[in-house]
């Protein structure tokens, strides 16, 4: 690779060394992208050219890749990008856009629970985030559906056992080798929280090696419920940067299109089930046109389990994953993460410690309570109510369920809209709980409960 200066970099001193002496080994950048490493300065070119080793050769060298795999800090090799068009304002704007994303999605929230204050329904996302499990469908033949314009080596190849499906796996491992995903999950299963977490960390470049290919991508979060509630249509490429209403100025003209064309976009479409049934074919056409126009775009779409037919986006190369309920260890891990986040905003650390131990004891001894906590949303509600009531929970399953699912309650939808959680709205979850309405949530005999003189645990400041 040859790099040419548009003008002499310096005046050559008479009888002195070349003004480019010592440049060998220096990086050559275009914006914030590394193009290559200088290897020599040719003679007789008036110091206007240097020869470089392309970055693609450097970072595909087997010895260097082996060095990355042997590092103890799990740093992944840099992601190679295909640079096409550039704009002088793009780099600065993308930095501000990433900062706005991290500010917008730094907390996870539950909306509409009347009994809980604002401070009791917001938690630090990084601290409270729990890796979920999902089940993939068979992958046989799916990769062939992706547009032929995508280079053969652009996406990570799956392992052989993945081609025929497999059992439950961590969601991060599944998303790492699937460029287009339709993610199904009940209300409160963690779909929106996953979208927010991916957006914030992809923009910051802080995802671990399982999702290393997403680091540095530009996330576009499309909250379909908010868009439809406002009467907006499906966004064009130019509108993608504005649909999340981030606290940031307008993007440079054509910026989103350049990001999409370069394969640097991460499209995160949340809440396909919020689109009215009569408009879902329009949603399908919008997604289809977008991924065909920009085939290098990675895309994650979330939806409730029965909202669209199986393989609804299969012709567009989307693979389906289904989020699974929390198992017993997952409930304990979620409770630990929730209380860890609560300690960040509360000086009474000992009080939070006591509450966490008491709630874990109730989860261990009360199968009915564990059964209700199988989704992150309801598990979070239980943690919040347990803290608010100083260790006490409602006396019956129906009382607790009603607290979490009353008509004014809402799941962790976007910060500008509350999704009602009517009983039975979560793909049958409500029906399952209503069959056991009279079943008590009281701990079994002999279980220690905090007395009424228990020390009050203050709410978040």
């Amino acid at each position: 690779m040859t790099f040419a200066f548009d003008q002499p970099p310096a005046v050559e001193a008479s009888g002195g060394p070349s003004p480019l002496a010592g440049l060998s080994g220096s990086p050559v950048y275009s914006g914030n992208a590394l193009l290559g490493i200088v290897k020599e300065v040719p003679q007789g070119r008036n110091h206007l050219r240097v020869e470089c080793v392309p970055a693609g050769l450097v970072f595909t060298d087997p010895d260097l890749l082996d060095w990355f795999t042997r590092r103890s800090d799990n740093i992944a090799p840099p992601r190679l990008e295909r640079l096409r068009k550039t704009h002088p304002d793009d780099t600065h704007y993308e930095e501000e856009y990433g900062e706005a994303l991290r500010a917008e999605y730094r907390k996870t929230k539950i909306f509409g629970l009347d009994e809980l204050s604002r401070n009791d329904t917001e938690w630090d996302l990084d601290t409270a985030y729990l890796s979920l499990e999902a089940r993939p469908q068979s992958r046989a033949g799916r990769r062939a559906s992706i547009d032929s314009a995508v280079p053969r080596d652009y996406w990570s190849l799956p392992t052989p056992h993945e081609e025929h499906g497999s059992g439950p796996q961590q969601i991060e491992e599944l998303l790492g080798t699937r460029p287009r995903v339709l993610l199904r999950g009940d209300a409160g299963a963690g779909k929106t929280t996953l979208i927010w977490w991916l957006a914030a960390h992809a923009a910051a470049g802080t995802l671990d090696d399982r999702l290393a290919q997403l680091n540095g991508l530009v996330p576009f979060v499309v909250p379909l419920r908010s868009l439809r509630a406002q009467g907006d249509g499906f966004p064009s490429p130019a509108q993608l940067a504005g649909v999340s209403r981030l606290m940031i100025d307008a993007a440079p003209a054509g910026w989103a299109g350049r990001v999409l064309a370069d394969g640097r976009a991460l499209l995160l479409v949340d809440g396909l089930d919020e689109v009215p049934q009569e408009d879902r074919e329009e949603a399908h056409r919008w997604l289809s046109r977008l991924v065909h126009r920009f085939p290098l775009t990675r895309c994650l779409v979330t939806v409730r389990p029965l909202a669209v037919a199986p393989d609804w986006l299969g012709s567009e190369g989307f693979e389906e994953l289904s989020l699974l309920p929390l198992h017993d260890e997952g409930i304990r891990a979620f409770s630990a993460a929730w209380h860890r986040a609560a300690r960040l905003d509360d000086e009474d650390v000992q009080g939070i410690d006591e509450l966490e131990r008491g709630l874990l004891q109730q989860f261990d001894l009360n199968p009915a309570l564990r059964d209700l906590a199988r989704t992150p949303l309801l598990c979070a509600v239980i943690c919040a109510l347990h803290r608010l009531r100083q260790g006490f929970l409602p006396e019956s399953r129906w009382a607790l369920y009603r607290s979490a699912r009353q008509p004014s309650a809402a799941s962790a939808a976007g910060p500008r809209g509350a999704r009602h959680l009517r009983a039975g709205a979560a793909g049958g979850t409500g029906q399952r709980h209503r069959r056991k309405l009279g079943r008590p949530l009281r701990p079994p005999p002999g279980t220690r409960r905090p007395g009424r003189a228990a020390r009050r645990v203050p709410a978040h400041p």
Side-chain angles (χ1 to χ4, degrees), residues 151-223:
R152 291 174 60 91
D153 60 345
Y154 190 74
W155 311 117
S156 293
L157 293 176
T159 56
H161 77 275
E162 285 184 307
E163 289 293 353
H164 304 287
S166 56
Q169 299 177 52
Q170 297 301 119
I171 187 67
E172 295 86 354
E173 295 175 356
L174 293 168
L175 292 177
T177 57
R178 288 163 169 79
R180 298 176 190 168
V181 170
L182 179 68
L183 179 65
R184 298 179 185 264
D186 286 329
K191 302 185 298 297
T192 296
T193 299
L194 176 63
I195 290 280
W196 292 7
W197 182 82
L198 283 173
H201 282 276
T206 51
L207 295 167
D208 65 21
D209 55 345
R210 295 173 298 178
L211 292 170
Q213 288 196 359
L214 305 188
N215 282 329
L217 295 184
V218 178
F220 294 115
V221 179
V222 183

Side-chain angles (χ1 to χ4, degrees), residues 204-276:
T206 51
L207 295 167
D208 65 21
D209 55 345
R210 295 173 298 178
L211 292 170
Q213 288 196 359
L214 305 188
N215 282 329
L217 295 184
V218 178
F220 294 115
V221 179
V222 183
L224 287 179
R225 185 188 191 282
S226 299
L227 289 181
R228 306 308 288 181
Q230 296 159 7
D232 297 334
F234 298 103
S236 68
Q239 296 170 327
L240 284 175
V243 294
S244 293
R245 300 184 182 273
L246 301 176
M247 298 301 291
I248 189 172
D249 291 334
W255 170 69
R258 289 189 290 273
V259 170
L260 289 160
D262 289 345
R264 298 191 299 112
L266 175 60
L267 184 63
L268 302 169
V269 182
D270 191 30
L272 181 62
D273 50 278
E274 299 289 355
V275 177

Side-chain angles (χ1 to χ4, degrees), residues 260-290:
L260 289 160
D262 289 345
R264 298 191 299 112
L266 175 60
L267 184 63
L268 302 169
V269 182
D270 191 30
L272 181 62
D273 50 278
E274 299 289 355
V275 177
Q277 184 69 41
E278 61 271 18
D279 295 335
R280 287 181 190 166
E281 279 307 307
E282 182 185 355
H284 189 285
R285 286 193 296 273
W286 168 70
L287 271 172
S288 176
R289 292 176 63 200
L290 194 60

Side-chain angles (χ1 to χ4, degrees), residues 14 19 32 46 50 56 110 112 117 126 213 242 280 282-283 322 360 391:
S14 177
N32 61 354
N46 296 320
V50 293
I110 298 175
S117 69
D126 282 340
Q213 288 196 359
R280 287 181 190 166
E282 182 185 355
S322 297
L360 287 178

Side-chain angles (χ1 to χ4, degrees), residues 295-433:
L296 301 182
T297 300
R298 296 190 74 120
C299 184
L300 171 63
V301 180
T302 70
V303 67
R304 292 194 189 178
L306 303 179
V308 296
D311 220 24
W312 193 68
L313 286 168
S315 61
E316 314 307 325
F318 280 76
E319 302 183 54
E320 294 196 5
L321 305 176
S322 297
L323 285 175
L324 300 177
L326 295 176
H327 47 64
D328 290 354
E329 285 303 314
I331 292 173
R332 294 178 66 87
F334 185 94
S335 175
W338 189 96
H339 288 90
R340 188 164 54 247
R343 292 184 188 94
L344 297 179
D345 297 320
D346 199 316
E347 296 179 356
D348 189 5
V349 174
Q350 184 179 357
I352 298 294
D353 291 345
E354 292 177 2
L355 283 172
E356 181 180 0
R357 288 192 294 270
L359 183 57
L360 287 178
Q361 184 181 37
Q362 293 196 47
F363 280 138
D364 287 342
L365 298 174
N366 194 327
L369 184 64
R370 288 200 308 272
D371 187 48
L372 191 60
R374 297 298 178 188
T375 68
L377 173 62
L378 292 182
C379 194
V381 169
I382 290 171
C383 292
L385 288 174
H386 183 262
R387 179 189 184 193
L388 179 69
R389 297 183 176 190
Q390 306 172 43
F392 289 89
L393 288 170
E395 292 295 322
S396 70
R397 166 179 287 273
W398 173 243
L400 179 59
Y401 189 62
R402 183 173 53 194
S403 295
R405 309 277 283 189
Q406 55 192 326
S408 64
S411 73
R416 294 168 188 83
R419 180 187 316 180
H420 291 299
L421 291 182
R422 295 177 293 274
T429 301
Q431 297 288 348
R432 186 166 60 250
H433 288 307

